[in-house]
Amino acid sequence: MHATTLAVADIERSAAFYTALFGIEGSGIIGTEYVATDTAAGGTTAMFTLDDGLIVSVYGRDDMRKDASVALATDPSTTIGHFEESREAADAFLERARAAGATMLEPPYTRPWGMYSGFFQDPDGHLWEVVANPGLGDPAAGA
């Protein structure tokens, strides 16, 4: 099992965004009984388990900073990739992101090597790339 945790400014806002994006029932918010102190992180988070088993979690920026004992970057320095099997499925996922409140970036396009992709940012600026790769799911299609 794998998880990615995103540091966010407002857990409720981010939980609502990801609930709409992933089409999941409920807010996903847990751990509200564990309240932060001046020096210790709280436990409030929202977790979403996707069909492939990946858990996407959102956690307060201040709590993440306290947990990790490190200053957090303010600019997105990584891209979260989401792969779809077709251009139509990628476009549908991008539309769900837009409807959920994502900031849509340049329109999706086909790269010279055949990969179709588009980008959006969630309410906290986390950068997502949605990819439709013609060979996705077909091991014979190449590396």
Side-chain angles (χ1 to χ4, degrees):
M1 186 174 296
H2 295 90
T4 187
T5 302
L6 306 174
V8 300
D10 182 329
I11 291 175
E12 288 185 14
R13 176 189 70 185
S14 292
F17 173 82
Y18 284 107
T19 296
L21 178 65
F22 298 135
I24 295 173
E25 295 292 321
S27 70
I29 297 176
I30 59 171
T32 56
E33 68 273 23
Y34 304 106
V35 179
T37 68
D38 288 342
T39 58
T44 301
T45 190
M47 301 176 85
F48 306 94
T49 303
L50 306 185
D51 290 341
D52 62 0
L54 175 68
I55 298 170
V56 174
S57 174
V58 294
Y59 190 49
R61 285 189 63 77
D62 195 44
D63 288 330
M64 178 82 74
R65 181 190 56 74
K66 289 175 188 175
D67 263 354
S69 298
V70 67
L72 301 177
T74 57
D75 292 330
S77 58
T78 61
T79 301
I80 302 162
H82 177 78
F83 288 80
E84 291 287 353
E85 293 183 10
S86 70
R87 179 180 174 146
E88 295 77 20
D91 286 339
F93 191 87
L94 288 164
E95 176 54 27
R96 281 198 311 278
R98 186 204 59 74
T103 299
M104 305 311 292
L105 303 174
E106 294 296 319
Y109 65 98
T110 301
R111 297 172 188 237
W113 52 88
M115 186 175 80
Y116 177 81
S117 70
F119 292 88
F120 69 87
Q121 288 179 298
D122 76 2
D124 286 277
H126 298 288
L127 184 62
W128 283 73
E129 180 180 19
V130 179
V131 177
N133 192 336
L136 185 66
D138 180 3

